[in-house]
Amino acid sequence: MKIKSNIAVSDNGFVFDPNTGDSYNLNNTAAEILQMLKSGKEETEIIKVFAKKYDVDETTFEQNFYDFLGMLNHYNLVEENRG
Amino acid sequence: MEKLRYERPVINKIKAGVPDKFGMNTKIKIMPEIEGIPVKDIINKYGSPVFVLSEPKIRETYQEAHRAFSSRYPKVQFAWSYKTNYLDAICKIYHDEGSWAEVVSGFEYDKALANGVPGSKILFNGPDKNDEDLLKAIENSSFIHIDHFDELYSIIRLTKNTDKKAKVAIRINMDTGIYPQWDRFGFNYENGEAWNAINRIMLSENLDLVGLHTHIGTYIMSANAYAVAASKLAELAVRTNRKFNHNIKYIDMGGGFASKNTLKGAYLPGKDTCPSFDDYAEAITSALINSEIAPDNLPILFLETGRALIDEAGYVLGTILANKRLSNARRSTIVDIGVNMLFTSFWYEHEIYPAQECSLQTEDTAIYGPLCMNIDILREAIQFPLLQKGDHVVIPRVGAYNMTQWMQFITLRPNILLIDRDKNIQIIRKKETNEVFKQMERVPDHLK
Ligand SMILES: Cc1ncc(COP(=O)(O)O)c(C=O)c1O
């Protein structure tokens, strides 16, 4: 999943979408994921990194992660064509 | 390497120009324990969902309410409104505190007797008392609060065959400036029906008019409505005294005080808007004391407070079953507490708290019960933190009406626990089993 290239993400988790003028808040984990996605990391890789770094098992994280990606999609923050 | 604390990722859209209601903070309160006992331990031992009542809280609230009235008025008597919560253990706590019983059916009447309340300390309300109920109440010298003329004439007829006088009061409905006006119970004040009923009773040799009763409604947020009601009852007492030289022994103001729950559609939380016991007490007792009733004849003030006495002492504990996204991407969370056991979720925006540490992030969430029914909604929209399947939640202020109005629908009713004054947990109603239901059903031979 690719984040639209003109979406701005600040370090403290503030997201601005110039296409719509909408802005969003992210919590720390969400900000980290967004940065990884922006830098082109694969989804499977992100899951591995998180399960290692955080106190969470892979299945739980995977569920939360795809729920989160669903929200990014809902807010139109991702490119239409995947990959 | 030690792992970092995990919080599930969330993204929230910032809505410009939409402030929180009155700038209320959305800081997340958690409720990890009830009376010092961890929620997790209670659920592990007694299952989920489970109701928990606090005996210390029941007693403390009762004493607070009693003090509010007895510090302002010489003669005060509470009667526990059975329908609000008629678990025997709960009723016995109120009786132990000095409360009489207020009942509205033969079933409740017998329950009060079985709980050790003498007949002479039972107030019998309601439109449904059959001859058997009435006779029993007459024999036991209970106070019969007459609801309609058919009942009045039944009592006149029944007392012909006994040498006991029936001790009666009439229930009176009236305009107290609040909406809706409950005019379906009792005799109306404004149109003179109540005065007619008083006259009819005073002419009857076998009926002793001892009291005047009203119950103006429930969850009444205006203390002033009680002042109006008390003045009208006092006026009737004075008129009765003038015409018949007969003293009314008590004035019963019924129940109806609001609890701190928030009604659906209310803009501000109930905690901020509900009058205190002192407010209600001041309104009622001033109206009586300032009435034309002679100081020597001041009637006993009866109160049938239900909701406001017990709501705060009850909790229901439950568990998250699942999180989902609705088609518009809103979060929905399913818990194992349904409207079948939490009847009051039809009236209240119940508060719901996580029972364990959770993320500080909240999301606009719909909270649904477990029933496969569209009506099973606990909260349509609440800013709720992100809980995972298996996490526990606590819904406070559920002590009133749920444990009597709940229904056996789709799931069985859960355990009810009492935390006593020594912090021991006692089961006061066992969770239902399939066996209980089987016992009551019969399958005709041709279907066996
Ligand atoms: C006659 C009577 N008294 C007392 C009550 C208790 O009312 P509440 O729980 O509002 O205090 C009720 C409840 O409907 C009632 O009908």
Side-chain angles (χ1 to χ4, degrees):
Chain A
M1 183 174 270
K2 246 185 114 193
I3 303 296
K4 282 183 182 162
S5 55
N6 60 350
I7 302 282
V9 187
S10 78
D11 284 344
N12 57 5
F14 184 78
V15 177
F16 179 68
D17 179 357
N19 308 306
T20 60
D22 286 331
S23 35
Y24 303 86
N25 265 332
L26 301 173
N27 63 351
N28 290 341
T29 43
E32 197 173 338
I33 292 172
L34 214 66
Q35 294 295 3
M36 287 182 178
L37 286 171
K38 277 206 85 138
S39 70
K41 273 215 165 48
E42 286 297 321
E43 291 163 20
T44 45
E45 205 180 333
I46 296 177
I47 295 174
K48 289 245 150 54
V49 171
F50 257 76
K52 210 160 164 193
K53 180 168 172 190
Y54 287 95
D55 182 20
V56 63
D57 62 86
E58 253 185 56
T59 2
T60 309
F61 178 70
E62 184 180 319
Q63 223 187 329
N64 298 170
F65 177 60
Y66 283 112
D67 176 61
F68 176 65
L69 295 189
M71 292 306 288
L72 296 181
N73 193 26
H74 173 72
Y75 288 135
N76 272 320
L77 300 175
V78 295
E79 297 286 358
E80 303 271 318
N81 303 323
R82 302 195 47 182
Chain B
M1 189 183 80
E2 194 168 332
K3 295 196 170 184
L4 298 177
R5 196 170 155 256
Y6 171 72
E7 189 175 273
R8 73 194 279 172
V10 244
I11 176 166
N12 279 324
K13 191 168 182 167
I14 299 167
K15 293 194 188 109
V18 185
D20 281 345
K21 278 186 185 179
F22 276 52
M24 278 182 295
N25 68 14
T26 43
K27 197 168 147 257
I28 298 153
K29 184 175 151 190
I30 62 168
M31 261 196 193
E33 17 174 82
I34 310 293
E35 295 290 351
I37 304 175
V39 167
K40 186 157 57 77
D41 295 356
I42 299 175
I43 286 183
N44 285 344
K45 184 144 185 215
Y46 299 98
S48 175
V50 61
F51 278 93
V52 180
L53 287 148
S54 156
E55 180 174 354
K57 188 76 202 170
I58 292 175
R59 292 185 185 269
E60 184 191 306
T61 311
Y62 176 86
Q63 287 160 15
E64 185 195 334
H66 193 275
R67 208 176 308 118
F69 284 89
S70 59
S71 60
R72 293 178 164 86
Y73 195 81
K75 295 178 266 183
V76 176
Q77 180 61 55
F78 277 79
W80 176 237
S81 157
Y82 263 48
K83 72 164 88 60
T84 310
N85 188 321
Y86 47 55
L87 290 161
D88 290 337
I90 300 304
C91 296
K92 281 178 178 247
I93 297 173
Y94 286 106
H95 299 322
D96 185 54
E97 288 288 336
S99 219
W100 291 16
E102 184 271 326
V103 304
V104 292
S105 67
F107 163 74
E108 288 189 356
Y109 187 94
D110 289 343
K111 225 172 187 322
L113 285 183
N115 281 332
V117 182
S120 60
K121 292 187 174 179
I122 299 177
L123 310 181
F124 200 166
N125 277 314
D128 172 21
K129 313 178 189 83
N130 60 30
D131 283 1
E132 196 188 325
D133 298 331
L134 289 171
L135 265 180
K136 202 186 304 183
I138 295 165
E139 287 301 327
N140 290 332
S141 304
S142 303
F143 297 95
I144 304 172
H145 291 184
I146 305 173
D147 187 74
H148 42 72
F149 277 108
D150 279 323
E151 183 179 344
L152 172 51
Y153 283 99
S154 294
I155 298 171
I156 291 173
R157 172 171 48 81
L158 290 168
T159 45
K160 292 205 169 111
N161 308 324
T162 115
D163 46 6
K164 274 214 124 147
K165 268 191 152 191
K167 293 200 286 180
V168 302
I170 54 166
R171 173 154 176 181
I172 298 161
N173 68 64
M174 62 187 84
D175 180 8
T176 58
I178 53 164
Y179 179 86
Q181 185 183 333
W182 281 21
D183 63 358
R184 55 175 279 193
F185 302 108
F187 302 90
N188 185 251
Y189 172 84
E190 282 80 16
N191 70 9
E193 197 187 30
W195 180 240
N196 288 348
I198 289 173
N199 278 277
R200 182 64 194 86
I201 294 169
M202 292 308 301
L203 291 178
S204 160
E205 279 185 5
N206 299 329
L207 272 61
D208 185 10
L209 182 68
V210 283
L212 298 175
H213 171 237
T214 190
H215 171 69
I216 60 176
T218 193
Y219 203 99
I220 305 296
M221 296 217 280
S222 152
N224 185 57
Y226 284 94
V228 174
S231 302
K232 290 186 174 175
L233 294 189
E235 191 267 338
L236 283 177
V238 169
R239 258 164 96 186
T240 308
N241 181 277
R242 232 178 257 147
K243 177 163 175 184
F244 299 100
N245 191 27
H246 175 83
N247 282 336
I248 295 293
K249 295 202 182 56
Y250 67 84
I251 280 183
D252 180 346
M253 295 302 300
F257 302 158
S259 78
K260 294 193 177 72
N261 267 310
T262 304
L263 286 182
K264 275 197 193 294
Y267 194 65
L268 290 169
K271 281 190 285 243
D272 300 343
T273 53
C274 113
S276 64
F277 287 124
D278 282 311
D279 296 333
Y280 292 116
E282 186 62 32
I284 292 172
T285 59
S286 314
L288 293 180
I289 289 168
N290 297 338
S291 73
E292 285 180 46
I293 301 177
D296 291 347
N297 290 340
L298 269 188
I300 303 170
L301 169 59
F302 275 107
L303 295 151
E304 303 169 349
T305 314
R307 185 190 304 280
L309 286 183
I310 187 126
D311 230 5
E312 201 80 20
Y315 305 80
V316 60
L317 322 184
T319 305
I320 306 283
L321 299 180
N323 288 302
K324 305 171 78 156
R325 290 280 170 197
L326 301 173
S327 61
N328 62 359
R330 277 185 69 217
R331 172 170 300 288
S332 80
T333 292
I334 307 170
V335 297
D336 61 357
I337 302 162
V339 294
N340 52 345
M341 66 190 74
L342 203 67
F343 197 86
T344 50
S345 47
F346 292 123
W347 314 329
Y348 292 144
E349 304 276 26
H350 275 295
E351 290 168 18
I352 304 181
Y353 297 107
Q356 55 280 303
E357 287 297 335
C358 61
S359 83
L360 295 175
Q361 295 283 336
T362 60
E363 222 184 311
D364 178 29
T365 307
I367 301 191
Y368 297 130
L371 309 179
C372 198
M373 294 283 291
N374 220 20
I375 54 162
D376 195 20
I377 304 167
L378 296 190
R379 288 297 300 267
E380 201 75 65
I382 179 176
Q383 279 298 322
F384 202 65
L386 304 158
L387 302 189
Q388 307 274 9
K389 176 179 161 63
D391 282 349
H392 299 312
V393 290
V394 176
I395 304 181
R397 288 193 208 101
V398 301
Y401 295 103
N402 286 304
M403 284 156 261
T404 45
Q405 276 186 287
W406 58 357
M407 48 197 152
Q408 192 276 310
F409 178 56
I410 300 186
T411 61
L412 296 169
R413 286 173 281 210
N415 277 321
I416 302 179
L417 313 174
L418 180 74
I419 301 180
D420 68 20
R421 284 178 288 186
D422 301 320
K423 305 270 150 115
N424 295 315
I425 299 182
Q426 320 258 4
I427 296 185
I428 56 171
R429 190 179 194 274
K430 284 201 318 206
K431 76 170 176 225
E432 292 167 347
T433 61
N434 281 4
E435 278 313 303
V436 173
F437 287 92
K438 263 207 187 123
Q439 268 176 25
M440 288 183 289
E441 292 197 27
R442 296 287 177 271
V443 178
D445 280 342
H446 76 284
L447 295 174
K448 273 185 183 151

